[in-house]
Amino acid sequence: MTEQDPGRAAADSDSTGTFLRSPAERSRTFTGILVNTALANITTSYLWFALTFWLYLETRNVIATGVVGGAYMLLIALSSISFGTFVDRCRKLAVMRFAACFTLVMFVLSGVMFLLVPAASLLDLGQAWFWIFTLVILVGAVVENLRNIALSTTVTILIEPERRANANGLVGMVQGLMFIVTSLLSGLSVGLLGMGWTIAVALVLTALAFAHLLTLRMPEEVRPAATDARGGFDLRGSIAAVLAISGLFALILFSTFNNFIGGVYMALMDPYGLEMFSVQMWGAVFAVGSTGFIIGGALIGKFGLGANPLRTLLVAVAAMGVLGAVFTLREWAWLYILGIWLYLVLVPFVEAAEQTVIQRVVPLERQGRVFGFAMAFESAAAPVTAFVIAPIAQFWIIPYARSAEGAARLDPLLGGGTSRGIALVFLVAGIIMIAAALLAFLTPVYRRVSASYAHVAAEAKAGGTPGRSRSTCGSVRENPQQVMDRPRRPGPP
């Protein structure tokens, strides 16, 4: 590394982390950014959910919903590393404004297409218009994820260290509330207003969020914080950061177990619910189930994740498998609602456990790319499952379950009803999830990662050189202020 002049280093140390205003002023800015991001996320999720509901109601084809859900997760998987690199290299408000503007343009384009292209063409999976229309909306929704990554970094910039846990908890609570509101509004909107007015509402809300974002200022960020991320897609650096920690790639695989059953849900949960409820009622049911996010986050805030978060992660994944296997054993509305609610209670435990372990064992300056790599890898699991299971269910399992012979064979195990084929898929997926999680407990990697986490946690508790702790790969981890004060490594601007 070449030596930089002191003036450049001093300037870089002032790029972020210098509190230029009072805590109350910074808190107001953070609240504005949080509310703005909440509105943007509600809008994009509202339109994406509505698109899924509308496609199934118009086509009664689970391939359509499987493609939409799978494509969304696949796009997130393909873009996560680039998004993380982009956020590291640019000012956070500029990233948010770019994402808001891009999403607005995509939603305007979708509205124009809906007005000009006949509905029969938009709903025909064999025509290009279906794929273009779906892709335009999904790309707009996916780019909105840039805002979520940038939001996490504004906590470091605007909130003093002792208050950052509270700010992160507020972010998690808002995300849970957004999911509830979105689930309810999408069903009501499609059922009462139709898809055209739903797009119009999304356009208005996206434009309002963009206009409000232009009024926000964050003087604490003079320029992006120092980073060694290179280019626009630092895959090489992400992989190196993951492989530098023994067992870290296995941890990401453990977390991916959750996304296996997530892909099945993505493809088939909405069709199952829409067969049981009206679209308006299904949106309300899913909103009630989504309160599980808030309960799960509150339980973590109250009781933590235990001495070994990795063990908590695998227990939660096994419990998800149990729920996936039993919550459609009978076509009972209360059983389905309860199963969804309990499943969503467990989701925060899986996500928080993975994050807690990574934050302990990965040096701070590499965490962004590690989280981006993990998001890309884990997000890819769900669309693969969705793309595989949707056509299998549509062409083989569902017709078999609805035939006289299939219904008679499934009745002792799954009872009667119109959705026994989907219930059979959920049962098999849940059993596989349980087996995968239990087998993971027996692996040497599980013991090694658990021991590494315990060792680092014990060192931190015992104390050491201020501002530094030793990671499991032997590298020195620096505190956030040291990282922000370090001169940049020479590289592309």
Side-chain angles (χ1 to χ4, degrees):
M1 179 183 296
T2 59
E3 199 172 72
Q4 298 186 16
D5 73 89
R8 169 76 180 275
D12 285 340
S13 70
D14 290 336
S15 61
T16 61
T18 301
F19 295 146
L20 303 178
R21 298 174 296 164
S22 69
E25 291 173 320
R26 287 182 277 110
S27 179
R28 282 195 296 271
T29 299
F30 176 72
T31 300
I33 293 174
L34 183 62
V35 170
N36 185 275
T37 303
L39 176 59
N41 285 350
I42 286 174
T43 305
T44 53
S45 297
Y46 158 76
L47 187 55
W48 177 60
F49 270 78
L51 177 66
T52 304
F53 296 164
W54 180 69
L55 288 177
Y56 182 74
L57 290 173
E58 295 292 333
T59 65
R60 297 289 172 177
N61 191 322
V62 298
I63 292 180
T65 58
V67 166
V68 171
Y72 178 76
M73 296 301 294
L74 184 60
L75 287 172
I76 290 178
L78 293 175
S79 61
S80 294
I81 292 175
S82 287
F83 285 175
T85 306
F86 186 42
V87 169
D88 278 346
R89 294 170 60 86
C90 300
R91 295 180 65 185
K92 311 315 179 227
L93 272 179
V95 169
M96 293 180 176
R97 288 166 180 163
F98 167 80
C101 181
F102 187 92
T103 300
L104 179 59
V105 170
M106 291 294 101
F107 286 1
V108 168
L109 182 57
S110 71
V112 171
M113 290 181 62
F114 189 86
L115 288 174
L116 299 181
V117 180
S121 299
L122 287 180
L123 294 168
D124 187 350
L125 275 67
Q127 294 196 32
W129 286 117
F130 168 85
W131 303 101
I132 296 172
F133 178 69
T134 301
L135 188 62
V136 165
I137 292 177
L138 291 186
V139 168
V142 167
V143 170
E144 193 64 36
N145 279 283
L146 264 172
R147 294 169 62 98
N148 297 326
I149 299 173
L151 176 64
S152 298
T153 64
T154 62
V155 175
T156 301
I157 297 171
L158 294 173
I159 308 299
E160 51 274 1
E162 64 272 13
R163 298 291 300 171
R164 286 173 187 162
N166 304 81
N168 288 324
L170 186 60
V171 170
M173 187 69 71
V174 167
Q175 289 174 342
L177 289 171
M178 286 187 302
F179 205 77
I180 295 169
V181 172
T182 297
S183 303
L184 181 61
L185 290 182
S186 297
L188 291 174
S189 184
V190 172
L192 300 177
L193 301 178
M195 192 61 186
W197 281 107
T198 298
I199 295 175
V201 171
L203 277 174
V204 172
L205 294 178
T206 303
L208 288 175
F210 180 48
H212 175 253
L213 192 59
L214 295 176
T215 68
L216 298 177
R217 297 290 182 270
M218 194 164 65
E220 283 73 20
E221 187 187 33
V222 178
R223 60 181 61 84
T227 179
D228 61 355
R230 294 179 177 274
F233 186 83
D234 193 12
L235 177 61
R236 187 175 184 179
S238 301
I239 294 175
V242 171
L243 297 181
I245 308 295
S246 176
L248 185 56
F249 184 70
L251 169 64
I252 295 172
L253 284 178
F254 289 162
S255 300
T256 305
F257 289 163
N258 174 47
N259 287 33
F260 171 79
I261 199 169
V264 176
Y265 286 160
M266 183 186 303
L268 302 177
M269 180 177 282
D270 284 332
Y272 191 94
L274 290 169
E275 289 289 345
M276 187 178 296
F277 306 99
S278 68
V279 64
Q280 297 95 325
M281 182 59 69
W282 172 235
V285 164
F286 210 78
V288 171
S290 298
T291 60
F293 276 126
I294 297 176
I295 300 300
L299 289 173
I300 295 171
K302 177 70 174 177
F303 302 106
L305 294 167
N308 186 352
L310 183 55
R311 180 174 60 238
T312 303
L313 184 152
L314 293 180
V315 169
V317 170
M320 286 177 169
V322 173
L323 291 171
V326 304
F327 81 144
T328 55
L329 285 180
R330 292 294 184 272
E331 200 167 293
W332 297 336
W334 69 265
L335 180 63
Y336 194 48
I337 296 170
L338 179 63
I340 292 173
W341 187 83
L342 290 174
Y343 175 83
L344 295 180
V345 167
L346 293 172
V347 168
F349 284 87
V350 175
E351 296 179 350
E354 179 191 20
Q355 293 169 1
T356 300
V357 174
I358 291 177
Q359 288 164 354
R360 278 287 190 190
V361 303
V362 178
L364 179 65
E365 61 269 24
R366 297 178 176 178
Q367 285 183 11
R369 278 163 292 167
V370 169
F371 280 125
F373 179 86
M375 181 181 292
F377 193 87
E378 293 159 17
S379 297
V384 168
T385 309
F387 289 148
V388 170
I389 203 63
I392 292 175
Q394 178 70 24
F395 295 121
W396 288 289
I397 298 176
I398 293 176
Y400 170 75
R402 290 179 176 175
S403 68
E405 178 187 358
R409 288 181 176 273
L410 294 177
D411 185 80
L413 177 62
L414 299 174
T418 60
S419 302
R420 296 304 83 203
I422 298 177
L424 179 61
V425 175
F426 284 159
L427 175 63
V428 174
I431 292 172
I432 294 174
M433 280 283 290
I434 296 168
L438 295 180
L439 287 174
F441 276 112
L442 305 178
T443 62
V445 170
Y446 167 74
R447 294 189 291 272
R448 186 163 63 249
V449 175
S450 298
S452 297
Y453 179 88
H455 176 69
V456 175
E459 278 192 343
K461 186 176 181 180
T465 305
R468 290 175 179 265
S469 62
R470 187 72 56 178
S471 74
T472 54
C473 63
S475 64
V476 173
R477 183 182 307 162
E478 302 171 5
N479 68 24
Q481 191 60 50
Q482 288 171 317
V483 172
M484 288 186 288
D485 288 348
R486 187 174 57 243
R488 296 174 191 255
R489 178 178 298 179

